[in-house]
Amino acid sequence: MKAIEVKNLVKRYGEFEAVKGVSFSVEEGEIFGLIGPNGAGKTTILRILATLIKKSDGEAKIFGLEVGINDDEIRKIISYLPEEAGAYKNMTGRQYLAFIASFFDGKEILQRGIEISKLGDRIDDKIENYSKGMVRRLLLARALMTMPKLAILDEPTSGLDVINANEIREMIKRFAKEGMTFLISSHNMLEVEYICDRIALIDAGRIIEIDEPEKLKEKYDAKNIEEVFIRAIK
Amino acid sequence: MSLLNIVKKEVKELLTPATVLPVVLMFIIFAGMGNFFGEAAEKAKEMPKIGLACNDDGNASKIFVDVMKAYCNIVTWNNSIEEVKERKGFALIEVPSNFSSNIENFSKAGVKIYWVINDIGIANAFPYETIKNIIEIAEREIANNILEERKINASFVSNPINEEELTVFKEKEIDVSPSVILQFFSTQSTTVPIIVMIIILTSGGMVITSMGMEKENKTLETLLTLPVKRSNIIAGKIMGAAIVGFIIAMIYMAGFGYYISSFSGEKIDLSEYGLKLDILDYVFISLSLFSSLLAGLSLCIVIGAFAKNYKSAQTLTLPISALAIIPMFLIMFKGFASLPFSLKTIIFAIPFSHPMMAPSFLLLDAYSIVVAGIAYSFIFSLICIAIAAYIFKTDLLLVGMMRNGKKLFWKR
């Protein structure tokens, strides 16, 4: 079964089309990246798949469950990490993870979350005292501790320093090896090239290329995905 | 279970030192003011300290001195302003040597009063008024004595009419003046609206702020992708804000109640005339408050859905403040019954008005309008909750209103 199947997905705001008939599919255990500049429609696609906003047209399925119809079931098997998301500042890291874990079955979830976050003793500090990197690690732990079948991460390393960003990339790769499927959006093309099995280049609401990073580089005779993107949109 | 988790989270997020501290501070200020006014009122009951220098030994001056001795604390009998000042007296009264002879000759007798201001402030004005009233008592006593000497019944002359007061109220004749009854109702129509307004403003502001903060921190997006029903998120937010709002209102009420009680003089008990609330009335008041709070918080959820961030949430609390403050002032100063029909309709349409008016209506046995208010508030709540549920299920909550790609409210 495909983890994600999207066919002719459209999102309109009045007469404006933010997403213009996008189609792609993601295999189970795959890290799939949506790459494109700001305003290309990446976050809109992620939000539709995360059941946050409604599609205007087309079809989207997550592990066979139809988005817009089986939303309650979909929310049990996915997790979504929005770009630049925060957490409840008056809670400690532990309290925040416990709050999220309380919506799922399984006593081990909280402990797993604490381990993934790698916050050590700081897990019992208030979130308002965390650095940006610590908050992002906590949020990623929140997204992964429930062991979702699909993790949708919007700009997972946005605004982080090199060390924190690298830690998060390694974590994503480790969980993918264990069978978790990832749908990642980023405008950092070098990052996506490094962690994604396959990528879709998206521009102005349309997918212009889908393939493995190496094959795309070969096709466009480019040194990196940035060059691929520039040549593809010409 | 998920509802309880949301409620607990809301309470934890809203009940912070930053929200509680200003309220506790207000409590301390109110309590402190109440204490101050209470002490001032007690002090006003004390006999004022004066100096009395009497240079006359006639009959009238004797009456004058006797009255002053009975009602004042004479700190010195010497004609010394310094001694009065030293002993914290408020006045030195000098009775001249011709005081009694002038009165006996039907000529006005004079006394000289040297006022001493020891301290400034409203509370310090009481003793001066008291001393003037005591001098008036002495004047009456001297006048009565003149009449008695001429074999005239002084008490009759000074009070020849016997007033028998009967106030028709609630189809009963009550032997108290209307001002006593109106004072009783004015206490009801002042305290209750203020308390209701505080509860509505506090809880309502919290719901809107909570929505604004959730959007600003993008925690709402996380919450909406969790396996939890939208209705539980809405109910959890309403219940959490209601609990915190109630706790904060209780702290306010304790301070405000203490402050108000420091002003009230003798308690008026009109229960023997049927002017009391029984258990059923309290059930109605509770229902009225609950339905009104539910209506207010449901409306706030709808309004809060349009908050983009914390800052815009603060602005969005303004309509709620207006809806709570307008009926409060109208009910406090005018009363519902004396309003024109158009204003009555507006006041009835604002759900917050009903618990403000309920105690007075119940005292007047006007149950139908209280029940109508409760029913209206519940219907209002249901409509708001339905609108909120619709907004939570659509894109409106996260992307706002858009037309042709352009934002009407906001887009993230």
Side-chain angles (χ1 to χ4, degrees), chain A residues 85-115:
Chain A
Y88 301 110
K89 289 174 183 167
N90 290 317
M91 290 186 184
T92 64
R94 186 190 297 274
Q95 284 170 342
Y96 176 69
L97 294 178
F99 167 65
I100 300 293
S102 68
F103 296 101
F104 297 86
D105 296 328
K107 287 178 182 172
E108 72 291 347
I109 292 175
L110 173 62
Q111 197 48 45
R112 191 188 297 132
I114 293 169
E115 282 162 21

Side-chain angles (χ1 to χ4, degrees), chain A residues 11-16 18 43-44 47 50-54 72 75-76 78-91 95-96 99-100 102-104 126 139 142, chain B residues 1-3 5-6 8-9 12-14 16-17 213-214 216-230 392-395 398-399 402-406 411-412:
Chain A
K11 179 65 188 174
R12 285 186 210 98
Y13 296 107
E15 286 172 14
F16 173 76
T43 299
T44 306
R47 279 178 159 186
T51 73
L52 281 172
I53 57 173
K54 306 284 176 205
D72 287 341
R75 286 180 200 126
K76 289 177 188 167
I78 65 159
S79 71
Y80 173 59
L81 178 63
E83 184 188 2
E84 291 177 359
Y88 301 110
K89 289 174 183 167
N90 290 317
M91 290 186 184
Q95 284 170 342
Y96 176 69
F99 167 65
I100 300 293
S102 68
F103 296 101
F104 297 86
K126 283 228 169 147
L139 291 175
R142 183 273 295 164
Chain B
M1 184 64 187
S2 60
L3 173 65
N5 291 334
I6 303 267
K8 271 160 57 179
K9 187 271 290 180
K12 200 169 278 181
E13 274 292 288
L14 297 173
T16 63
M213 281 167 64
E214 291 253 28
E216 188 170 314
N217 295 327
K218 292 197 178 176
T219 46
L220 186 64
E221 290 187 34
T222 303
L223 204 56
L224 292 173
T225 53
L226 292 174
V228 51
K229 286 195 170 108
R230 302 291 200 254
F392 269 68
K393 280 182 182 167
T394 62
D395 299 357
L398 294 175
V399 294
M402 295 190 71
R403 187 174 292 159
N404 300 335
K406 288 177 183 166
K411 180 182 178 288
R412 303 272 296 271

Side-chain angles (χ1 to χ4, degrees), chain B residues 325-339:
Chain B
I325 288 168
I326 290 168
M328 182 194 77
F329 278 118
L330 283 172
I331 291 162
M332 267 170 68
F333 297 115
K334 192 92 175 130
F336 184 74
S338 55
L339 291 174

Side-chain angles (χ1 to χ4, degrees), chain B residues 179-402:
Chain B
S179 61
V180 173
I181 294 171
L182 291 174
Q183 193 190 334
F184 173 75
F185 274 96
S186 79
T187 313
Q188 294 282 336
S189 59
T190 307
T191 318
V192 177
I194 290 174
I195 290 166
V196 172
M197 184 209 63
I198 291 170
I199 295 176
I200 300 287
L201 286 190
T202 316
S203 309
M206 280 181 175
V207 167
I208 298 176
T209 306
S210 156
M211 289 291 291
M213 281 167 64
E214 291 253 28
K215 282 192 183 178
E216 188 170 314
N217 295 327
K218 292 197 178 176
T219 46
L220 186 64
E221 290 187 34
T222 303
L223 204 56
L224 292 173
T225 53
L226 292 174
V228 51
K229 286 195 170 108
R230 302 291 200 254
S231 54
N232 281 353
I233 297 174
I234 295 169
K237 285 198 169 291
I238 289 175
M239 286 165 74
I243 291 168
V244 177
F246 191 73
I247 292 169
I248 286 176
M250 285 297 119
I251 303 172
Y252 264 124
M253 276 164 67
F256 188 71
Y258 187 73
Y259 172 69
I260 287 286
S261 68
S262 69
F263 288 104
S264 50
E266 286 176 27
K267 296 279 179 287
I268 312 157
D269 184 17
L270 294 173
S271 56
E272 59 182 293
Y273 304 111
L275 284 176
K276 66 167 187 175
L277 298 168
D278 56 26
I279 293 169
L280 184 68
D281 293 332
Y282 282 109
V283 171
F284 276 119
I285 290 172
S286 307
L287 271 173
S288 181
L289 187 59
F290 174 73
S291 60
S292 166
L293 191 62
L294 188 67
L297 295 179
S298 314
L299 179 65
C300 288
I301 280 275
V302 175
I303 293 174
F306 293 93
K308 188 181 167 188
N309 49 34
Y310 179 77
K311 209 174 170 183
S312 72
Q314 296 302 304
T315 315
L316 287 170
T317 56
L318 287 175
I320 295 296
S321 308
L323 287 178
I325 288 168
I326 290 168
M328 182 194 77
F329 278 118
L330 283 172
I331 291 162
M332 267 170 68
F333 297 115
K334 192 92 175 130
F336 184 74
S338 55
L339 291 174
F341 180 75
S342 55
L343 272 180
K344 269 186 188 166
T345 313
I346 293 169
I347 293 294
F348 191 90
I350 299 171
F352 315 141
S353 315
H354 299 289
M356 295 181 185
M357 302 186 292
S360 297
F361 280 140
L362 292 169
L363 284 165
L364 296 169
D365 290 341
Y367 286 90
S368 56
I369 193 159
V370 176
V371 172
I374 293 168
Y376 170 76
S377 298
F378 274 121
I379 293 167
F380 187 97
S381 313
L382 286 176
I383 293 169
C384 286
I385 289 170
I387 295 170
Y390 169 76
I391 292 172
F392 269 68
K393 280 182 182 167
T394 62
D395 299 357
L396 269 174
L397 188 64
L398 294 175
V399 294
M401 276 191 176
M402 295 190 71

Side-chain angles (χ1 to χ4, degrees), chain A residues 54-78:
Chain A
K54 306 284 176 205
K55 61 182 165 45
S56 305
D57 221 333
E59 200 178 285
K61 283 183 182 171
I62 291 171
F63 287 96
L65 300 164
E66 199 156 332
V67 176
I69 293 171
N70 309 113
D71 287 358
D72 287 341
E73 292 305 306
I74 290 171
R75 286 180 200 126
K76 289 177 188 167
I77 58 166
I78 65 159

Side-chain angles (χ1 to χ4, degrees), chain A:
Chain A
M1 186 186 288
K2 301 265 187 206
I4 302 172
E5 264 187 292
V6 174
K7 283 182 193 163
N8 300 318
L9 187 70
V10 175
K11 179 65 188 174
R12 285 186 210 98
Y13 296 107
E15 286 172 14
F16 173 76
E17 274 190 353
V19 178
K20 300 167 182 167
V22 163
S23 300
F24 64 92
S25 63
V26 179
E27 298 296 327
E28 211 172 331
E30 193 177 16
I31 305 176
F32 188 87
L34 286 175
I35 310 172
N38 293 332
K42 307 185 297 287
T43 299
T44 306
I45 294 169
L46 298 194
R47 279 178 159 186
I48 291 170
L49 295 175
T51 73
L52 281 172
I53 57 173
K54 306 284 176 205
K55 61 182 165 45
S56 305
D57 221 333
E59 200 178 285
K61 283 183 182 171
I62 291 171
F63 287 96
L65 300 164
E66 199 156 332
V67 176
I69 293 171
N70 309 113
D71 287 358
D72 287 341
E73 292 305 306
I74 290 171
R75 286 180 200 126
K76 289 177 188 167
I77 58 166
I78 65 159
S79 71
Y80 173 59
L81 178 63
E83 184 188 2
E84 291 177 359
Y88 301 110
K89 289 174 183 167
N90 290 317
M91 290 186 184
T92 64
R94 186 190 297 274
Q95 284 170 342
Y96 176 69
L97 294 178
F99 167 65
I100 300 293
S102 68
F103 296 101
F104 297 86
D105 296 328
K107 287 178 182 172
E108 72 291 347
I109 292 175
L110 173 62
Q111 197 48 45
R112 191 188 297 132
I114 293 169
E115 282 162 21
I116 296 169
S117 73
K118 289 185 182 171
L119 285 167
D121 292 342
R122 298 291 306 272
I123 195 74
D124 291 313
D125 285 0
K126 283 228 169 147
I127 294 170
E128 64 186 354
N129 297 324
Y130 284 5
S131 68
K132 201 171 178 181
M134 288 165 77
V135 172
R136 204 65 183 160
R137 283 217 301 270
L138 180 75
L139 291 175
L140 196 71
R142 183 273 295 164
L144 303 181
M145 70 180 181
T146 57
M147 300 303 281
K149 289 175 89 171
L150 170 67
I152 302 170
L153 312 179
D154 194 357
E155 306 280 357
T157 61
S158 148
L160 294 184
D161 60 45
V162 179
I163 295 168
N164 275 307
N166 190 55
E167 262 185 37
I168 284 175
R169 283 183 208 121
E170 292 304 324
M171 205 183 288
I172 291 168
K173 283 180 113 172
R174 182 159 56 84
F175 273 88
K177 269 185 195 162
E178 290 171 19
M180 201 180 283
T181 309
F182 284 89
L183 175 63
I184 293 168
S185 100
S186 180
H187 59 259
N188 181 344
M189 304 198 187
L190 299 174
E191 169 183 284
V192 178
E193 184 184 344
Y194 172 68
I195 56 170
C196 291
D197 299 315
R198 280 193 310 137
I199 54 173
L201 304 182
I202 183 163
D203 185 45
R206 281 198 180 88
I207 288 179
I208 48 176
E209 279 289 0
I210 301 182
D211 214 332
E212 291 169 23
E214 286 306 317
K215 285 185 179 167
L216 284 172
K217 281 196 283 186
E218 207 174 293
K219 182 178 172 183
Y220 286 92
D221 190 24
K223 283 187 225 130
N224 54 45
I225 294 299
E226 255 179 28
E227 275 186 24
V228 171
F229 188 81
I230 291 164
R231 286 172 194 178
I233 59 168
K234 271 182 184 170

